[in-house]
Amino acid sequence: MTFAPRTWVVGEVVTAALLNQEIRDQINSMLAAWTSYTPTWQSSGTAPNLNNGTIVGRHMKIGRTVIATINQTNGSTTTYGTGNYNWTLPFQAANAGANLIGLAHYLGTARWNGTTVISANATTMSPFFSTANNDTRIDFMTNSKPETLASGGQTRMTFLYEAAA
């Protein structure tokens, strides 16, 4: 709900309705519950299909600042496709000339910590994980990185970025 504040003019009568709109409603929107959204899981290759898995996205937008989370649990009929994975953002990222970094976590047969990357002007974000247990370099998440994905595996991502509008 947060938006640009009103420009007041000399001699304008301040009413309760205007104060509610300009102050109360703005503050309430920043204190409100997060908004649900349904991210789309995509790939640079053959598309994955969540089937009986679950995905939940939530976000809070204050001005152009977006804080969001995605939690995905793979199901017994989930197919993993090929290529590098990405998930849709709730709002397009600003063309700010910077890549933004968030947190990623994959819980499978092991726990893997990673990062999320949101490029300038992007509509998706990508998680990156270590390529092996003994390797600190990171690469795109795929059907076999950070480990072979399986039913019950959980991908959790949290990120903050500037929206385009």
Side-chain angles (χ1 to χ4, degrees):
M1 158 91 193
T2 55
F3 53 90
R6 176 187 185 92
T7 300
W8 299 92
V9 297
V10 174
E12 185 171 3
V13 176
V14 179
T15 65
L18 285 174
L19 288 172
N20 287 341
Q21 177 183 332
E22 297 300 315
I23 298 171
R24 182 204 62 199
D25 295 350
Q26 293 280 2
I27 292 171
N28 283 343
S29 72
M30 291 184 280
L31 302 175
W34 286 30
T35 303
S36 295
Y37 87 104
T38 303
T40 301
W41 180 25
Q42 302 171 337
S43 172
S44 63
T46 305
N49 191 332
L50 198 53
N51 289 322
N52 69 339
T54 59
I55 190 167
V56 176
R58 297 184 52 73
H59 69 83
M60 170 64 76
K61 186 176 183 195
I62 301 171
R64 288 177 48 175
T65 301
V66 180
I67 306 163
T69 65
I70 298 172
N71 292 309
Q72 176 176 306
T73 303
N74 302 329
S76 60
T77 62
T78 297
T79 58
Y80 302 99
T82 62
N84 303 327
Y85 293 151
N86 59 69
W87 282 260
T88 55
L89 299 170
F91 305 97
Q92 182 175 357
N95 193 6
N99 290 337
L100 301 166
I101 305 296
L103 301 173
H105 178 88
Y106 183 76
L107 175 58
T109 58
R111 291 182 180 266
W112 297 84
N113 287 315
T115 62
T116 62
V117 176
I118 302 171
S119 298
N121 212 36
T123 57
T124 62
M125 66 90 205
S126 301
F128 287 75
F129 289 95
S130 294
T131 57
N133 285 339
N134 58 355
D135 190 344
T136 59
R137 295 174 295 172
I138 60 174
D139 197 3
F140 281 98
M141 182 180 191
T142 68
N143 61 7
S144 61
K145 284 185 284 187
E147 66 182 38
T148 301
L149 306 186
S151 178
Q154 298 176 29
T155 305
R156 302 169 181 162
M157 297 163 282
T158 302
F159 42 96
L160 177 130
Y161 67 101
E162 179 186 359

